[in-house]
């Protein structure tokens, strides 16, 4: 299996099903680990990077993950394939842009990946559709234990797992959910949400994590604190308290839109349909922005005959690298915009 | 006949036919006249205003205009009816907003109106669809002569006709055309056009004349100089030199769009169709802006099955006073936006 084999399908965790999936698009947990006896990434020679890569790759490929896996040599694949992996959240932008020996093990379902030589020697992550942080945790914890039977991780009895960046020290865990909060945005309450998140030591980012802006009302919410807490506590707090609270606020805002601003709501939704169904050129940013409105429309039953799955497909397949991979050729920005518009038009009309 | 009887139809001069109508929407000539022996408007008592109104009204209603006419007591009708007359260009905003005895004689075809006690005692104007300034001139000149057989106008042997504002002194003529210049706008050349117009002592205004901004790529172009020139020379210069030159530039820009930017052009046109065909709320400004793109699309054969007449109807009938008059009740801005969107949707879908 190669990255381009993924380009025409959507990831399992992005199907739009699962608990609370009208608001919680997906759940993700990642763990940061480093091999004992090696420097952190910035100080490693190429040779030692290669040793780490070989050691971890063998260890992970030797584990039974309950499904087939494949390995991608991130350093060796063309930039377009790297970009495709980023668009599918299988590797981080940092991993794609990095230098030197590095790679990623990917489960065929895309619900698990292991980045080797990203910021830490190893970052493993598990994905689920909807709000399903506990299954993510169980899986990733299990895999972490299996790997630890084969290699020794840098661990300090007082601090816990050692990481390249001190913000990951201790558990090395990052718990995150991708949220769709269009009603809070329309109601002008999104800043309150952002402030409350900061007050609770949470981080809010855009669709593609660190350094990316929220586009199309999609927000990635994650924990900041990794030291001095138990992983299960973070996971449970997220799954049972924090996310349900936000979901409740978004639901409230959606009900208010339905009750008091139905015209404005329908206007937004129908305009989005009108533009996506007719535009001849469309940027990925604008597509995301408009698909967000349509997603809301479907979830509130203001649009019939269109599935969340179709919308998620459009989200995924109209990203620049996906577009080009599926067209089988590199496209400049203008041609990408034209191709994207064509795909969206034909997909929306078919429904 | 009353203003509200006009509200569901479009003016003859706004049919979108006539020479060069893909760019020149309409032609208009107005003459400013004042009665001899009376002060100008700002200095008149109510009583003398009434005398002027009576004198001019009788004179004009006594003339054979070749069609039926009706009189509207602008001072006496409700604000909504005044506004309707403004939206149809039958009176100026200044006339609507004025105070004291004033009125307008309107030809049933709406191709001629005579405003009494606007800025001058009398302003008569003739309209034609497309570029037809000479027919406008012949008609208005003929009517002017007929009126002058019944009343005496303030006239100075050196200066010509005296007017309240010195910019109208002499001939009192204003020749103007309403132009649709979307391609020059898209090509970023509209500022050159505006500068060239200023250099040629011409005035460019928005759809509703003085003090209004150009919206939706519609521009009203008119002469500034009224003193020391023959009316026929102004008319011919406009009709045969100035306007054809602008039309040529706009045609050139349109051909360039077709040849080199077809995707961007179609995108603009189809988006406009998509939004107008789906929006649930739409302001008159946005409607104008989008209808402008659709008008271009029809004129360039990029849209089938839609007539310029339908577009012009939408221009006219979705204006605030028209909307409310046709709905039979006053509507606040939100309800106007919803009603407007509904009318546009149903009209575009029918086609």
């Amino acid at each position: 299996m190669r990255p381009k084999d993924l380009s025409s399908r959507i990831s399992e965790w992005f199907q739009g099903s699962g608990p609370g999936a009208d608001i919680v698009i997906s759940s993700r947990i990642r763990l940061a680990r480093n091999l004992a006896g090696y420097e952190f990434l910035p100080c490693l020679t190429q040779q030692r990077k290669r040793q780490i890569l070989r050691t971890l790759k063998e260890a992970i490929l030797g584990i039974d993950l309950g499904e087939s896996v494949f390995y991608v040599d991130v350093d060796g694949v063309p930039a377009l394939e790297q970009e495709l992996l980023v668009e599918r959240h299988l590797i981080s932008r940092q991993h794609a842009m990095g230098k030197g020996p590095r790679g990623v093990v990917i489960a065929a379902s895309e619900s698990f990946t292991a980045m080797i030589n990203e910021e830490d020697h190893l970052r493993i992550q598990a994905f689920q559709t909807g709000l399903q942080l506990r299954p993510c945790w169980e899986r990733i914890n299990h895999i972490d234990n299996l790997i630890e039977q084969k290699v020794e991780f840098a661990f300090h009895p007082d601090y816990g797992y050692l990481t390249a960046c001190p913000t990951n020290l201790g558990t090395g865990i990052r718990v995150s959910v991708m949220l769709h909060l269009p009603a809070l945005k329309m109601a002008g309450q999104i800043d309150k949400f952002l402030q409350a998140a900061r007050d609770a030591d949470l981080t809010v980012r855009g669709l593609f994590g660190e350094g990316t802006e929220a586009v199309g009302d999609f927000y990635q919410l994650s924990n900041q604190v990794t030291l001095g807490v138990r992983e299960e506590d973070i996971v449970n707090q997220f799954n049972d308290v924090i996310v349900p609270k936000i979901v409740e606020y978004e639901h409230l805002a959606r009900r208010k839109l339905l009750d008091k601003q139905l015209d404005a709501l329908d206007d937004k939704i129908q305009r989005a349909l009108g533009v996506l169904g007719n535009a001849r050129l469309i940027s990925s940013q604008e597509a995301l922005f408009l698909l967000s409105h349509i997603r809301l429309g479907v979830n509130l039953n203001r649009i019939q005959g269109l599935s969340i799955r179709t919308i998620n497909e459009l989200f995924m397949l109209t990203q620049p690298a996906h577009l080009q991979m599926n067209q089988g050729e590199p496209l400049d920005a203008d041609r990408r915009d034209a191709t994207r518009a064509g795909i969206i038009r034909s997909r929306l009309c078919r429904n």
Side-chain angles (χ1 to χ4, degrees), chain A:
Chain A
M1 197 143 185
R2 290 194 48 194
K4 72 182 171 83
D5 301 324
L6 306 172
S7 66
S8 61
R9 66 177 211 195
I10 66 170
S11 315
E12 246 179 49
W13 58 269
F14 200 64
Q15 308 263 353
S17 54
D22 58 334
I23 292 171
V24 187
I25 298 188
S26 60
S27 301
R28 182 185 74 119
I29 296 181
R30 75 110 168 97
L31 298 175
R33 299 290 183 257
N34 290 274
L35 289 182
Y38 284 88
E39 304 81 0
F40 288 131
L41 253 286
C43 310
L44 282 171
T45 61
Q46 294 292 95
Q47 198 202 341
R48 284 173 71 77
K49 275 194 194 175
R50 256 192 300 277
Q51 287 172 9
I52 292 172
L53 179 58
R54 195 181 322 120
T55 305
L56 286 171
K57 179 182 162 187
E58 271 172 24
I60 297 165
L61 289 176
I63 285 171
D64 180 11
L65 285 169
E67 61 178 310
S68 67
V69 296
F70 62 105
Y71 173 78
V72 179
D73 173 18
V74 175
D75 192 35
V77 297
L80 198 59
E81 297 197 14
Q82 292 176 345
E83 186 60 29
L84 186 94
L85 296 175
V86 173
E87 290 177 356
R88 297 179 82 80
H89 297 256
L90 299 172
I91 65 173
S92 64
R93 183 154 305 280
Q94 187 174 349
H95 202 211
M97 309 282 279
K99 284 198 169 14
R102 63 200 191 284
V104 62
V105 178
I106 300 171
S109 69
E110 296 176 72
S111 62
F112 170 81
T113 84
M115 288 183 276
I116 304 170
N117 289 343
E118 197 242 22
E119 183 180 296
D120 294 294
H121 300 160
L122 178 64
R123 288 193 162 188
I124 53 178
Q125 41 186 3
F127 299 91
Q128 289 286 336
T129 179
L131 179 56
Q132 298 199 72
L133 284 168
R134 262 191 292 270
C136 280
W137 167 244
E138 280 153 23
R139 187 169 196 206
I140 200 108
N141 188 36
H142 176 64
I143 296 172
D144 184 43
N145 291 337
L146 293 178
I147 301 172
E148 219 162 356
Q149 290 169 12
K150 305 191 169 222
V151 299
E152 189 190 347
F153 288 140
F155 187 86
H156 186 282
D158 291 338
Y159 299 133
Y161 290 102
L162 301 180
T163 53
C165 176
T167 58
N168 292 310
L169 193 66
T171 55
I173 196 172
R174 174 131 301 156
V175 172
S176 65
V177 285
M178 199 192 290
L179 301 167
H180 186 219
L181 306 176
L184 284 175
K185 180 76 167 294
M186 278 188 214
Q189 297 177 341
I190 206 72
D191 287 337
K192 269 202 281 184
F193 154 70
L194 295 174
Q195 189 53 51
R198 273 190 292 269
D199 290 349
D201 276 331
L202 302 172
T203 303
V204 181
R205 291 169 174 152
L207 260 188
F208 292 95
E210 207 156 341
T212 66
E213 283 224 10
V215 179
D217 315 320
F218 296 98
Y219 300 86
Q220 205 171 289
L221 184 78
S222 58
N223 66 305
Q224 267 180 5
V225 180
T226 57
L227 186 66
V229 279
R230 285 176 60 231
E231 291 94 335
E232 286 86 347
D233 291 342
I234 297 179
V235 171
N236 289 336
Q237 171 83 352
F238 238 76
N239 200 78
D240 305 338
V241 181
I242 295 171
V243 177
K245 197 82 206 162
I246 298 167
V247 166
E248 187 190 326
Y249 286 135
E250 171 67 18
H251 270 149
L252 214 67
R254 290 184 183 188
R255 266 198 300 277
K256 246 193 189 157
L257 283 177
L258 287 171
D259 288 350
K260 318 230 172 199
Q261 289 184 273
L262 194 57
D263 272 357
L265 174 69
D266 279 342
D267 185 55
K268 257 205 163 68
I269 295 167
Q270 296 297 330
R271 276 171 183 257
L273 269 181
V275 172
L276 289 174
N278 289 280
R280 261 50 180 174
L281 294 172
I282 198 158
S283 72
S284 52
Q285 294 264 317
E286 191 190 4
L288 209 59
F289 176 82
L290 295 173
L291 286 168
S292 162
H293 294 167
I294 293 188
R295 191 176 197 279
L296 179 66
V298 171
N299 278 327
L300 294 183
N301 284 320
R302 306 302 301 170
I303 300 176
Q304 267 71 49
L306 191 60
S307 71
I308 290 290
R309 199 195 145 84
T310 299
I311 296 168
N312 287 1
E313 260 173 29
L314 287 175
F315 274 124
M316 193 153 253
L317 305 183
T318 61
Q319 299 179 97
H322 278 78
L323 265 190
Q324 297 176 77
M325 206 76 97
N326 286 325
Q327 289 298 113
E329 55 174 341
L331 304 170
D332 64 20
D334 280 352
R335 290 196 51 214
R336 286 204 299 275
D337 288 354
T339 307
R340 179 178 298 114
I343 291 173
I344 295 174
R345 271 204 319 281
S346 71
R347 197 65 71 103
L348 288 184
C349 293
R350 207 194 303 159
N351 274 276

